[in-house]
């Protein structure tokens, strides 16, 4: 649930928290007209049948307050071409992967923070300095953050195979080289919360993402690094 926020994961988590086998059956509730029931319909359905309603955001909030899937293992300052940043290193306790976060400024929950979550990380992200029309490169993100009062660049690491590197090195990319993996958004969210991020303006193309309210994060807007 803290890695990927979905109804399937929520069902298994609830069963596990109740001391039962972490398995569940989920289904859609259909109204008499054949349409899928929405929250107002479900509230009435629950009253009629004496059922309780729980929100995924509430479950995430409860678990994020009582469990941590990432651990901060190191912190130091690094000098980049875009100035000095604080480098935070995290270990993913589930997949045992290492993720990095480059931070500038004093991060305050109630103040807007410029944020870029970049994945998967490749050595080519640092070799090739290029601006993409519909995405944000590592260099673009660092430059934009360096010009802002406060910002965070999270570098999500996933193993890069020889085949991945060959494909990336041999082909000129016109945009971001891989699709965002929604299963890892919870890991990135926990890193951002550990860094005291609250309100954030994402350097990304606007898209539908799972609610981050359970992590105490609020997306206040989007921006492109080269805008």
């Amino acid at each position: 649930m803290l890695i990927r926020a979905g109804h399937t994961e929520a069902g298994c988590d609830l069963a596990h928290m109740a001391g039962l086998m972490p398995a569940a059956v989920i289904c859609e509730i259909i109204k008499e007209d054949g349409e899928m029931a929405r929250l107002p319909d479900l509230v009435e359905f629950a009253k009629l049948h004496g059922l309780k309603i729980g929100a995924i955001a509430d479950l995430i909030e409860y678990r994020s307050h009582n469990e941590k899937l990432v651990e901060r293992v190191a912190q130091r300052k690094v000098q980049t071409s875009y100035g000095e940043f604080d480098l935070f290193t995290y270990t993913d306790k589930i997949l045992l992967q290492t993720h990095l976060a480059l931070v500038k400024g004093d991060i305050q929950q109630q103040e807007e923070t410029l944020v870029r979550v970049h994945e998967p990380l490749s050595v080519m992200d640092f070799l090739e300095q290029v601006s993409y029309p519909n995405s944000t490169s590592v260099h673009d993100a660092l430059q934009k953050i360096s010009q802002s009062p406060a910002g965070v660049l999270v570098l999500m690491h996933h193993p890069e195979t020889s085949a991945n590197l060959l494909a990336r090195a041999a082909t000129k990319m016109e945009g971001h080289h891989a699709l965002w993996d929604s299963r890892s958004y919870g890991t990135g969210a926990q890193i951002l919360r550990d860094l005291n991020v609250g309100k954030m303006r994402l350097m990304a193309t606007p898209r539908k993402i799972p609610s981050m309210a359970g992590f105490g994060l609020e997306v206040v807007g989007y921006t492109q690094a080269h805008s």
Side-chain angles (χ1 to χ4, degrees):
M1 189 75 206
L2 297 183
I3 296 179
R4 180 183 184 274
H7 294 87
T8 305
E9 291 78 10
C12 293
D13 278 7
L14 283 173
H16 179 71
M17 292 166 64
L20 304 173
M21 179 183 295
V25 176
I26 63 173
C27 67
E28 296 282 2
I29 295 179
I30 305 299
K31 298 190 296 183
E32 292 184 358
D33 61 5
E35 293 292 325
M36 184 178 69
R38 302 296 180 181
L39 182 58
D41 309 307
L42 294 174
V43 171
E44 295 302 317
F45 185 88
K47 289 180 180 178
L48 179 63
H49 297 280
L51 301 175
K52 296 182 182 296
I53 293 180
I56 288 179
D58 293 334
L59 180 57
I60 293 175
E61 183 176 12
Y62 174 83
R63 289 200 60 196
S64 64
H65 285 168
N66 293 276
E67 304 174 44
K68 293 195 70 174
L69 297 184
V70 295
E71 179 183 4
R72 186 194 295 186
V73 294
Q75 176 184 349
R76 68 182 179 92
K77 293 188 179 296
V78 293
Q79 192 66 37
T80 75
S81 299
Y82 305 95
E84 186 177 79
F85 286 77
D86 289 306
L87 173 65
F88 294 82
T89 305
Y90 292 88
T91 296
D92 181 334
K93 295 181 180 180
I94 302 299
L95 301 176
L96 301 180
Q97 295 174 344
T98 298
H99 308 293
L100 305 175
L102 287 165
V103 178
K104 185 211 168 181
D106 182 21
I107 308 298
Q108 298 293 328
Q109 292 184 30
Q110 298 305 317
E111 299 294 329
E112 184 177 301
T113 302
L114 190 61
V115 171
R116 170 67 181 172
V117 179
H118 185 92
E119 68 167 313
L121 182 62
S122 169
V123 64
M124 292 299 297
D125 290 320
F126 295 94
L127 292 178
E128 192 169 31
Q129 187 166 347
V130 61
S131 295
Y132 301 131
N134 298 307
S135 187
T136 302
S137 70
V138 167
H139 292 279
D140 285 339
L142 286 173
Q143 183 176 40
K144 188 82 170 184
I145 291 173
S146 71
Q147 299 167 349
S148 303
V152 178
L153 171 60
V154 178
L155 301 169
M156 302 289 293
H157 175 260
H158 302 289
E160 184 175 40
T161 66
S162 295
N164 295 148
L165 181 57
L166 174 60
R168 178 75 191 276
T171 305
K172 181 179 179 181
M173 306 304 295
E174 298 300 329
H176 196 277
H177 59 281
L179 294 176
W180 175 71
D181 186 352
S182 62
R183 294 173 298 177
S184 63
Y185 101 99
T187 302
Q190 285 207 13
I191 290 174
L192 290 171
R193 284 302 295 121
D194 183 74
L195 294 170
N196 203 39
V197 175
K199 295 181 179 180
M200 55 185 182
R201 180 168 297 276
L202 296 180
M203 278 186 281
T205 302
R207 59 182 153 189
K208 184 178 180 179
I209 62 175
S211 173
M212 292 191 175
F215 293 98
L217 298 171
E218 178 188 359
V219 178
V220 298
Y222 293 83
T223 186
Q224 292 292 337
H226 47 273
S227 61

